[in-house]
Amino acid sequence: VVPMAVEHGSAVVALTIDEISMGKTTERKVEIAHKIYDICVDEYGLAPNALIFDVLTFPVTTGQEELKTAAIETLEAITRTRAELPGVLTILGVSNVSFGLQQHARAVLNSVFLYHAVKAGLDLAIVNPVHITPYTEIDAEQRQLAEDLIYNRADALPRYIAYFEEHAPQQDNGNSKVDPTEGMNLAERIHWQILHRRKEGIEPMITEIIAERSQELGIKQSEVAVNVLNTVLLPAMKDVGDRFGAGELILPFVLQSAEVMKRAVAHLEGYLEKVEGYTKGKVVLATVFGDVHDIGKNLVNTILSNNGYTVYDLGKQVPLNTILDKAIEVNADAIGLSALLVSTSKQMPLCVKELYKRGLNFPVIVGGAAINRSYGRRILFVDEQTPDAAPVPYDHGVFYARDAFEGLEIIDRLTSSPEQRASFIERIKEEALKERLKKTERTTRATGETTSQAKEDIASSSVKPALSIPRPPFWGPRVLDRIGIEDVAPCMDLNTLFRLHWGGKTHGADFTRLVEMEFRPRLKRMLLEARQRRYLQPKAIYGYFPCQSSGNELIVYDPAEMQGQQPKGSLREIARFYCPRQQERERLCLADYFAPVNSGKIDVVALQIVTMGQSATEAIQQLQDAGDYAEAYFVHGLAVEMAEGLAEYTNRLIRQELELDEQRGRRYSWGYPAIPDLEDHVKVFQLLPARKTIGVDLTEAFQLVPEQSTAAIVVHHQQATYFAVREQAAVSV
């Protein structure tokens, strides 16, 4: 399992169970965790943050003497595991602690235990959110009874059982309030409006609370406005963020709350115009040079802006000098960098090194799909990072943020008191140094190991000749510019759309309800709007080319030289793609799936480029500029998944034209593990004239624009499979 996890970049969950028994005491749990860590991390090279420990918990509700301290043992094991094995994560099936109780009694115990587990360092929890109540909302007496049971205090179990036998679950008598804000004061109603995404009426409420507090406090309205911002609006957005972090809100709901917040703050601006210094801090944001993706950066902008920070958003594909010049100009409190792909994330360490070289003092926050916490720690160092190099950190800090709310938390700490800021930066540097030293030890051990490698360009013995070479209906490129949205939509992966692009993180009945009540009606409406407003304009160019393989290379010939399946004469090479080969396992290489030169056979390769058009990008930007963050998020997600749907639509057409079954005609895109080199896009554009036919271009970093575009090679071989190629001795992101 572990070699597969390392190969595919997967995480693993490890229970603290060994060949002797399940770990029931803290000592046994931690002892087993160390054994597993040594095998997974030290022996197989699994990244520590890909190792998730379930330290197990057992019922404290059975009355068995040996299980009375089960909750304490679990909480202590969580804390020690994270402290003694830096970088690992922890997970827990929380409800095991309450097994055997009535449901309403279990819900209280589970909720209180979850609270203490998170305080102990728990990263992930397996719970039914319907049965979890926030700690502060639990009745004080019930909370105390649960804590007595968790911490094994005198007669805790009989007292707990007796209480919940006397107190049955509360029933809803149907007399719920028509107005959910009835009985709330004005500040609480504003908080409720933001939390529940209600824009209507927010401005009059802001006007009213400013007038009310101005009279009560006897100060001018401009000063009251700052007070309202700091004591009403910002705490409301913090509550939204906390609930998102706890899994209670999906991302689109957070963005809708941000829209309410923006409207409220905009109304405050009239009062704040003459007040200087009310911003909490200044942040320069940018998607790094060469990267055309900015949805993540836009989310960070939205969250920071609506939490009192001044954000200078420089957009996407921003050169390094532009970022640094802006940070100097505005005296920024931090620089935020975003990247989607591994290739463009290399701009991040360049930025850190340039800051160090110039003697600048801006903390750097990095994020994006291409990187993780280990990467953030690694690029904090500006030396060459060879095993014998002395660590040279960038003293002002590099911080990884997994999402916008962690970014907000980091900025809050960086703009706190000088002492707190210095302590925070020092802790991050210590964590980075500890991880670097561990990796250096592993690298040193691995250097002494030798393995016999087969010659790099010899074809994999596991790949057999193709069962047949398909006959294409034509040679060369063909344009599809009259594709209907209704033809593309059925090719989308709705699970990916709903979960990944639209933020549907719930499960079971909650997810089904979200899909049926929110997402499907929205999808139907948005597809209709896309047709009416023409902001999704699907176009594709694809084609068939004669080819052969030579070692690790795929040679593409001029299609004009073909007549049917045979060349008219000698074939002229017009492109050559290098395909990297695995250095382990089956030693797969994409070139192996095509007939080699020495076979005497002419094979066929299909290439495709698809796009949803520039109009999609413009529509998203217009919504973002108008402050309609949630709708921009939904449109972006739909456009991206429709581009994938269009790629699948074109792929299906190629399968049909080549008369391939569902098991053949696999699609590979550049920048992904089997063919990671984006520079090959230049050759694809030489073969498929996408610029003048469907309006797709390349950036200087070889990415496709518009963003909602993809390019791929289609392989007809029956054994074609997805695989990863890793460079030898490379440090994984």
Side-chain angles (χ1 to χ4, degrees):
V1 171
V2 178
M4 291 176 64
V6 172
E7 179 183 355
H8 295 286
S10 173
V12 295
V13 174
L15 282 65
T16 49
I17 304 172
D18 64 7
E19 66 280 4
I20 300 172
S21 66
M22 293 186 289
K24 291 188 176 180
T25 66
T26 300
E27 291 301 326
R28 280 285 291 145
K29 293 174 193 285
V30 176
E31 175 193 348
I32 296 169
H34 273 275
K35 288 182 184 177
I36 295 171
Y37 183 95
D38 290 344
I39 295 169
C40 294
V41 177
D42 293 338
E43 185 176 340
Y44 285 97
L46 185 73
N49 62 5
L51 183 54
I52 306 169
F53 280 109
D54 185 340
V55 298
L56 307 178
T57 193
F58 298 92
V60 293
T61 52
T62 64
Q64 293 175 261
E65 191 65 33
E66 67 271 20
L67 294 181
K68 286 185 176 181
T69 61
I72 301 173
E73 307 283 0
T74 297
L75 297 176
E76 291 178 352
I78 290 170
T79 301
R80 282 189 54 186
T81 298
R82 296 198 70 211
E84 296 177 23
L85 303 173
V88 303
L89 303 177
T90 55
I91 190 171
L92 200 63
V94 173
S95 63
N96 287 353
V97 77
S98 65
F99 181 77
L101 294 175
Q102 296 180 57
Q103 182 55 54
H104 66 298
R106 293 192 73 179
V108 172
L109 185 56
N110 293 345
S111 299
V112 175
F113 184 55
L114 175 60
Y115 169 79
H116 287 286
V118 171
K119 284 185 67 177
L122 185 69
D123 298 291
L124 302 98
I126 304 170
V127 296
N128 183 342
V130 174
H131 299 149
I132 295 296
T133 303
Y135 182 78
T136 55
E137 296 178 16
I138 300 171
D139 175 81
E141 184 179 2
Q142 295 179 2
R143 200 164 60 206
Q144 185 62 57
L145 286 165
E147 287 175 339
D148 288 347
L149 185 53
I150 289 167
Y151 290 102
N152 191 30
R153 293 166 185 154
D155 299 321
L157 181 58
R159 287 190 289 114
Y160 193 88
I161 292 173
Y163 177 91
F164 283 97
E165 284 178 346
E166 293 176 14
H167 297 79
Q170 293 183 346
Q171 301 294 322
D172 185 357
N173 59 14
N175 296 324
S176 57
K177 298 176 182 177
V178 174
D179 179 6
T181 65
E182 185 180 330
M184 296 182 184
N185 62 35
L186 193 52
E188 290 169 340
R189 293 208 307 274
I190 293 171
H191 186 115
W192 188 92
Q193 292 264 131
I194 293 172
L195 179 62
H196 291 86
R197 312 175 295 284
R198 305 294 173 84
K199 295 181 188 178
E200 295 73 19
I202 192 69
E203 292 96 336
M205 294 171 76
I206 296 296
T207 300
E208 185 180 349
I209 196 171
I210 288 177
E212 181 183 281
R213 289 195 174 185
S214 179
Q215 186 173 0
E216 287 177 0
L217 301 174
I219 58 177
K220 56 186 180 181
Q221 291 187 339
S222 59
E223 294 176 12
V224 172
V226 177
N227 173 273
V228 170
L229 177 67
N230 290 327
T231 64
V232 180
L233 299 184
L234 294 180
M237 274 307 292
K238 184 179 185 305
D239 188 16
V240 171
D242 291 344
R243 290 174 187 251
F244 172 73
E248 297 176 26
L249 297 175
I250 63 173
L251 186 55
F253 291 174
V254 173
L255 295 176
Q256 288 169 352
S257 289
E259 291 169 13
V260 183
M261 179 71 171
K262 182 175 182 178
R263 184 177 287 191
V265 171
H267 195 66
L268 275 180
E269 285 179 352
Y271 302 97
L272 294 170
E273 282 175 350
K274 297 180 181 179
V275 180
E276 296 182 2
Y278 66 86
T279 182
K280 289 173 66 179
K282 302 173 186 176
V283 182
V284 172
L285 277 186
T287 299
V288 297
F289 181 70
D291 203 313
V292 300
H293 306 88
D294 64 354
I295 185 65
K297 172 188 62 63
N298 291 344
L299 294 175
V300 174
N301 184 354
T302 299
I303 298 304
L304 294 184
S305 299
N306 286 287
N307 277 276
Y309 289 95
T310 301
V311 178
Y312 301 90
D313 187 343
L314 304 183
K316 52 193 176 184
Q317 296 200 79
V318 185
L320 178 55
N321 283 340
T322 303
I323 297 169
L324 300 190
D325 290 347
K326 190 65 177 181
I328 294 169
E329 175 194 334
V330 302
N331 191 25
D333 292 287
I335 293 171
L337 302 177
S338 175
L340 180 75
L341 299 176
V342 172
S343 58
T344 54
S345 68
K346 295 173 184 176
Q347 290 284 319
M348 293 174 172
L350 294 179
C351 179
V352 177
K353 289 180 179 179
E354 187 65 18
L355 287 166
Y356 176 82
K357 180 180 175 182
R358 295 195 196 181
L360 299 173
N361 61 354
F362 303 110
V364 178
I365 304 172
V366 297
I371 66 172
N372 58 21
R373 202 168 303 281
S374 290
Y375 183 79
R377 288 169 176 165
R378 190 166 80 245
I379 68 173
L380 180 138
F381 297 100
V382 295
D383 58 275
E384 293 304 315
Q385 301 197 43
T386 56
D388 56 348
V392 180
Y394 175 60
D395 284 331
H396 306 286
V398 177
F399 308 84
Y400 167 76
R402 69 181 178 277
D403 56 34
F405 286 101
E406 186 173 7
L408 173 62
E409 181 184 343
I410 292 168
I411 291 291
D412 283 343
R413 292 188 178 190
L414 291 174
T415 54
S416 59
S417 69
E419 295 78 14
Q420 290 175 317
R421 171 191 168 105
S423 174
F424 178 49
I425 292 174
E426 196 58 36
R427 178 171 67 79
I428 294 298
K429 286 161 62 178
E430 288 174 2
E431 290 174 357
L433 180 60
K434 188 179 294 185
E435 184 166 315
R436 172 166 169 171
L437 293 176
K438 266 189 168 295
K439 285 185 176 178
T440 300
E441 289 174 14
R442 290 202 299 271
T443 303
T444 303
R445 284 200 302 270
T447 303
E449 300 173 3
T450 58
T451 57
S452 59
Q453 295 284 349
K455 194 174 179 181
E456 187 186 341
D457 61 352
I458 296 178
S460 171
S461 60
S462 66
V463 178
K464 308 303 179 187
L467 294 174
S468 61
I469 295 177
R471 183 186 184 93
F474 60 90
W475 291 106
R478 177 173 289 180
V479 176
L480 302 174
D481 56 4
R482 292 183 176 274
I483 306 171
I485 289 177
E486 64 279 4
D487 296 320
V488 177
C491 299
M492 285 194 296
D493 182 339
L494 293 184
N495 193 53
T496 299
L497 174 66
F498 295 155
R499 288 196 178 278
L500 177 63
H501 299 305
W502 282 4
K505 302 297 185 185
T506 55
H507 298 279
D510 290 339
F511 181 68
T512 301
R513 185 164 50 252
L514 177 67
V515 168
E516 297 305 323
M517 297 183 66
E518 294 271 351
F519 286 169
R520 287 195 187 278
R522 167 174 281 281
L523 177 59
K524 183 178 179 181
R525 171 179 65 78
M526 290 182 69
L527 288 174
L528 179 61
E529 288 177 355
R531 280 195 292 270
Q532 293 171 340
R533 293 167 47 198
R534 292 184 54 77
Y535 69 74
L536 294 180
Q537 299 180 7
K539 293 181 181 180
I541 181 170
Y542 75 107
Y544 302 103
F545 297 84
C547 68
Q548 291 177 318
S549 66
S550 176
N552 293 2
E553 294 179 315
L554 179 65
I555 305 168
V556 180
Y557 300 114
D558 187 349
E561 303 295 328
M562 294 296 292
Q563 186 169 2
Q565 287 292 90
Q566 299 301 319
K568 298 175 185 176
S570 60
L571 288 172
R572 182 174 67 89
E573 178 183 325
I574 57 173
R576 185 178 289 245
F577 294 92
Y578 174 76
C579 306
R581 182 176 300 281
Q582 285 182 322
Q583 294 301 306
E584 69 289 323
R585 299 175 65 81
E586 296 179 88
R587 302 187 62 258
L588 296 175
C589 172
L590 210 63
D592 293 346
Y593 296 130
F594 296 91
V597 172
N598 59 16
S599 71
K601 297 178 180 178
I602 303 300
D603 213 326
V604 58
V605 61
L607 299 169
Q608 64 177 62
I609 301 174
V610 306
T611 184
M612 294 310 295
Q614 181 62 25
S615 297
T617 302
E618 293 169 357
I620 295 162
Q621 191 59 52
Q622 287 169 4
L623 290 167
Q624 191 73 21
D625 292 344
D628 201 345
Y629 306 127
E631 197 64 22
Y633 177 80
F634 281 119
V635 171
H636 178 274
L638 177 61
V640 169
E641 189 53 38
M642 280 288 280
E644 290 297 325
L646 181 55
E648 176 61 22
Y649 171 87
T650 309
N651 196 171
R652 291 179 186 180
L653 177 62
I654 290 171
R655 278 202 192 99
Q656 180 183 340
E657 291 183 343
L658 294 181
E659 298 181 356
L660 302 175
D661 59 37
E662 287 293 320
Q663 304 307 312
R664 299 175 68 183
R666 201 173 289 273
R667 186 172 78 247
Y668 300 80
S669 288
W670 285 272
Y672 287 89
I675 42 174
D677 192 355
L678 287 175
E679 289 189 39
D680 280 346
H681 279 156
V682 174
K683 300 173 186 176
V684 178
F685 271 60
Q686 291 169 353
L687 299 171
L688 299 176
R691 289 184 181 89
K692 65 181 181 182
T693 56
I694 62 172
V696 178
D697 208 338
L698 288 177
T699 70
E700 292 182 45
F702 312 109
Q703 290 198 51
L704 277 64
V705 286
E707 177 189 346
Q708 296 80 21
S709 309
T710 72
I713 180 173
V714 179
V715 180
H716 67 77
H717 196 286
Q718 71 277 1
Q719 285 183 272
T721 186
Y722 292 122
F723 59 92
V725 177
R726 300 179 185 276
E727 294 180 24
Q728 278 188 288
V731 182
S732 66
V733 170

